[in-house]
Amino acid sequence: MTAHSQSRMPEEPHDVSRPEPHHVVPYFTIFIVLVVLTIITVAVALVRFPNEIVNVLLALLVATIKGCCVALFFMHLKYEGKLIYLMLIVPICLMLILVFALIPDIVMTDPGSSSASLHLFNAHPAIYNPH
Amino acid sequence: MSDTVLNHGYIPEEHAPDPVIGHGDPTPPGKVGIWLFLASEIMFFVAILGSYVILRSGSHELFAKHALALSKPLAGINTLVLIFSSLTMALAVDASQKGKRNKTIICLFITFLCAAGFLGIKAIEYTSKFKHHTIVARESANGPLYVYDGHLHEEDAASMTIEGYRMPVPEHGSIDIHLISEHDVMNGGIEPAEAGQKSEKAMETFTIPKSEIAQDIIYGPWKNIFYADYFTLTGIHAIHVIGGMFPIAFLCIFAIRGKLLPHHTEYVGLYWHFVDLVWIFLFPLLYLI
């Protein structure tokens, strides 16, 4: 603390602006929850439901729960004021718009063209003349 | 002036009005800044994840069969390492705010080690991909043409030794080494008679003369769009991890010198948790589904 800054803030003792943790955050509990959810993610992926969409949605659901745990507790979002939430609403809205804008591309993919492009034996025949 | 900023993170009065909306504590401008940065980061990652979704929906089989070749155990360990580093970072922020110097130093140091460990495991994964070849070659001059797929074992001037699988080049049509996967070669290499007996073929070691190689490609980003996506997403995430290691190291050095920076530790912590959050989504998207 220099004399200069003291003269600028005569009313402020040194530790006033030190951010005091107002809430007891259960960090270890959240860590255990995250580890358990990671194990669940892997287990769900290994079990594999016959419907592929169920697999994808389950994996994304568990990932979203984990992400919410990290954001709410590790990033203290649960204890933040409205300003931070206001700043987060904008990218989240844009994210949802982007995701919904992608749905036509996913749903309207021509199944014939996708399987044809994946067919293993459809490339150029130069491979037969190595020399 | 700079000393004040370092000590307090922000100057509470006279210079800038407190950005308060409604009730509650004033939000420091530094925190507003880091959250705005994170908001832009969300948009950045959503954009590249969007391109991943589009490419995946168009080439579902390609993505599914190539994702099988990624190492799930390594990625799983990396997830746990990153979650643990997030825990130690949160504890470091807490300790720093309570003025506990030793605990801050230890927690920041463990976070730094976890970041380094994450990158080390990532490096093992990348090295394995860059050693993974798909080769079309003859075993000897005028011999039959084979497709080999496996990891490079040894290489000298005249030949390459590959540990993996091989299958004969199909008699009809042609093949594209960009699209072919390790599992294709493994299943294609099983003779019809033995196909019923065992579903998985053991790896073999093949020595291929270099003069007989027709085509050779490694599992780099140029292999196909799955690997382009894999390297883009994990590479950008790894750059974020590297970017986070510098401020963590600086905070640790400052704490060792006796200067706790609670505000700055909190901002670095927010960034670090965000990097963890991105990996939480990348792990199932790339490795598991």
Side-chain angles (χ1 to χ4, degrees):
Chain A
M1 204 69 175
T2 61
H4 172 69
S5 62
Q6 290 231 333
S7 69
R8 270 196 20 244
M9 296 189 296
E11 306 292 318
E12 292 272 314
H14 173 260
D15 56 353
V16 155
S17 72
R18 168 176 296 227
E20 286 296 329
H22 305 285
H23 310 271
V24 180
V25 186
Y27 291 118
F28 283 97
T29 315
I30 298 301
F31 173 69
I32 300 294
V33 169
L34 287 174
V35 171
V36 169
L37 285 173
T38 304
I39 293 167
I40 291 175
T41 319
V42 177
V44 165
L46 291 181
V47 169
R48 286 227 161 252
F49 293 94
N51 191 341
E52 193 58 31
I53 294 168
V54 175
N55 282 319
V56 174
L57 287 182
L58 261 180
L60 282 178
L61 178 73
V62 179
T64 309
I65 295 170
K66 283 167 74 183
C68 287
C69 282
V70 170
L72 284 176
F73 295 100
F74 282 175
M75 297 172 92
H76 298 155
L77 211 52
K78 194 164 181 274
Y79 315 106
E80 288 295 351
K82 286 178 189 162
L83 182 70
I84 303 293
Y85 280 95
L86 267 179
M87 283 191 301
L88 267 180
I89 284 172
V90 178
I92 288 172
C93 285
L94 289 170
M95 183 178 83
L96 290 177
I97 290 171
L98 180 72
V99 168
F100 281 108
L102 293 183
I103 287 177
D105 288 271
I106 300 165
V107 176
M108 293 162 72
T109 307
D110 179 9
S113 74
S114 96
S115 63
S117 69
L118 279 170
H119 198 269
L120 201 57
F121 308 118
N122 64 348
H124 55 86
I127 206 162
Y128 287 104
N129 304 304
H131 295 294
Chain B
M1 168 66 196
S2 62
D3 192 41
T4 313
V5 172
L6 275 181
N7 271 328
H8 298 278
Y10 73 108
I11 303 160
E13 84 285 65
E14 53 181 287
H15 286 270
D18 290 338
V20 184
I21 294 177
H23 301 289
D25 294 332
T27 307
K31 193 185 261 182
V32 177
I34 195 79
W35 272 107
L36 279 177
F37 171 65
L38 293 183
S40 74
E41 287 276 74
I42 292 174
M43 291 315 299
F44 175 71
F45 276 103
V46 164
I48 47 174
L49 278 176
S51 71
Y52 165 82
V53 169
I54 289 296
L55 292 173
R56 189 191 170 97
S57 69
S59 316
H60 188 79
E61 291 165 52
L62 179 85
F63 274 63
K65 73 181 183 187
H66 278 287
L68 288 174
L70 298 181
S71 171
K72 287 187 184 80
L74 284 182
I77 292 168
N78 251 354
T79 309
L80 296 178
V81 167
L82 220 50
I83 289 174
F84 183 69
S85 81
S86 232
L87 169 72
T88 55
M89 191 73 220
L91 292 175
V93 173
D94 194 58
S96 170
Q97 290 178 348
K98 286 173 179 163
K100 293 179 184 166
R101 178 164 159 264
N102 286 342
K103 197 183 169 193
T104 311
I105 294 170
I106 292 168
C107 286
L108 284 173
F109 188 66
I110 295 173
T111 311
F112 187 85
L113 284 185
C114 286
F118 178 87
L119 290 175
I121 294 173
K122 198 92 255 167
I124 294 172
E125 268 189 77
Y126 277 13
T127 314
S128 151
K129 288 287 155 261
F130 282 114
K131 278 175 148 180
H132 196 157
H133 288 251
T134 303
I135 296 173
V136 178
R138 290 177 204 279
E139 203 168 28
S140 58
N142 304 321
L145 204 53
Y146 286 106
V147 181
Y148 296 88
D149 192 287
H151 289 82
L152 184 65
H153 204 59
E154 269 179 295
E155 186 175 13
D156 55 39
S159 68
M160 292 166 84
T161 306
I162 292 282
E163 203 176 356
Y165 309 99
R166 81 170 176 189
M167 67 173 193
V169 167
E171 284 176 24
H172 302 291
S174 62
I175 64 156
D176 189 339
I177 55 168
H178 286 275
L179 302 179
I180 203 159
S181 76
E182 188 176 31
H183 278 71
D184 290 333
V185 178
M186 185 181 83
N187 295 330
I190 295 173
E191 298 293 319
E194 55 181 316
Q197 293 160 15
K198 47 180 179 178
S199 56
E200 210 154 271
K201 211 184 172 193
M203 281 201 189
E204 289 175 69
T205 307
F206 305 102
T207 303
I208 308 162
K210 277 190 175 172
S211 58
E212 302 299 324
I213 291 175
Q215 291 189 1
D216 179 8
I217 194 169
I218 63 167
Y219 279 60
W222 48 86
K223 167 86 176 173
N224 55 43
I225 52 168
F226 173 78
Y227 281 99
D229 261 352
Y230 165 75
F231 280 103
T232 307
L233 285 165
T234 57
I236 286 171
H237 179 264
I239 289 169
H240 277 78
V241 172
I242 295 169
M245 285 171 78
F246 286 100
I248 290 169
F250 288 141
L251 286 173
C252 203
I253 291 166
F254 270 103
I256 289 168
R257 285 181 176 176
K259 204 166 198 173
L260 289 180
L261 303 167
H263 281 288
H264 295 75
T265 314
E266 191 185 1
Y267 306 152
V268 173
L270 284 173
Y271 171 80
W272 192 251
H273 298 314
F274 176 79
V275 172
D276 179 29
L277 213 156
V278 170
W279 182 256
I280 283 174
F281 280 95
L282 286 189
F283 172 53
L285 281 177
L286 283 175
Y287 293 84
L288 297 181
I289 59 175

